[in-house]
Amino acid sequence: MKWALIGASNIAGQWMVDALRACGDEVVAVVSGDAQRARTFANAHGIPHALDQEAALTGLGIEAVYISNTNEKHEASVLRAAANGQHVLCEKPLAVDFQAAIRMASACDTAGVVMVTNHHLRHNAGHRAMREQVAAGALGRLSSARLSHSVYLPKPIQGWRLTDRAAGGGVVLDIAVHNADSLAFILGEYPTHVCAMTSNTGMANGLEDNAMSIWQYASGITAFTHQGFNTPFAETHLQLHGDAGSLHATGVLSQAPGGVVALSNTSGRTELPLDNDNLYQRVIRNMHAAIAGQPHANADGWAGVRSLAVAHAVLQSAASGRTVEVAYG
Ligand code: NDP
């Protein structure tokens, strides 16, 4: 499949170009708002066409676009691709504005193109193993989840995330969307209510760099989630607890494959075997399946809408000091 990259971004260069090629796809063009940055990116990654506007993609035979410009720009790029009949892999959060995200998923539906939200974490082997254990009833009746996804924002991406809400900055829009998707993938549901507190610990400029929240699910599960940019020495954890067993995962909330998942129950503690492989390649292979009309495990456009709804609820709750119902639209 022939792809164009919309955005000369860090993630495109670090992960996605290699992932697309490893899946047998072709990266035909990169589009940047700055012609020189497009050229530099194209040279660094051996991409034939370096463009400074999406309109210049016409005639290149582009079948799919990977959109990783800053979040307020995703909508225009998705609408353009849908209108051109191109399949869409869009970065998370889908948008800053919730209604924009709905317009994006709707436009792809109307155009009959596949839309994927790049919630790669659900493809982590630990996530998949946890989902299987839950589905098989290994934990009995689930009561709670604890998700600790506080990291240290690496220097090369300490730009708009720390300063610019309009571009989707702040730890909630950046990380809570992933957490909502991870738990939805494993539990099969999204929270109905959210209660949150956020803080600025001095790393971000006028935005939250730390957020803790409690999410309530219709099934009765409550989940505690922690998202942070500001913890250089923290490890990530994901735990699920039921009356017949608990799952304890470390290192499964990462871009790289890996992590450990252990099941604790009356028989003791057993580490689960994990078939680790590249998360982003799994996103692309699942997208190929969706385009072929086959079952797939990706987060689609509407999953991206729902994860954004949860992040918005976290921000609303933190701002109001009240528990809020998640508005899924
Ligand atoms: P970057 O800051 O690297 O890139 C975003 C945009 O910023 C680029 O498209 C580019 O604009 C512009 N830009 C990049 N470098 C420079 C520079 N040196 N000077 C001026 N402008 C520059 O963002 P990320 O790669 O961190 O994130 C991009 C998207 O991907 C976001 O939506 C983010 O949330 C998401 N993301 C998702 C991850 C995942 O695992 N799913 C992980 C990391 C990010 P232009 O296109 O005009 O050149």
Side-chain angles (χ1 to χ4, degrees), residues 29-42:
V30 58
V31 184
S32 166
D34 179 279
Q36 184 52 47
R37 200 162 52 240
R39 174 50 50 209
T40 304
F41 190 99

Side-chain angles (χ1 to χ4, degrees), residues 243-328:
D243 57 10
S246 287
L247 286 167
H248 304 264
T250 53
V252 301
L253 296 162
S254 174
Q255 291 183 285
V260 173
V261 181
L263 172 66
S264 299
N265 56 22
T266 51
S267 307
R269 184 180 188 279
T270 314
E271 220 171 271
L272 304 180
L274 300 180
D275 65 328
N276 290 309
D277 65 357
N278 185 291
L279 281 60
Y280 298 106
Q281 290 178 27
R282 289 187 73 92
V283 170
I284 293 155
R285 286 200 299 273
N286 275 274
M287 187 164 173
H288 289 168
I291 291 168
Q294 294 162 1
H296 68 90
N298 273 336
D300 63 12
W302 293 106
V305 169
R306 286 190 284 273
S307 65
L308 183 61
V310 177
H312 275 274
V314 169
L315 288 173
Q316 265 172 31
S317 172
S320 66
R322 305 172 76 93
T323 297
V324 304
E325 186 172 355
V326 185
Y328 289 103

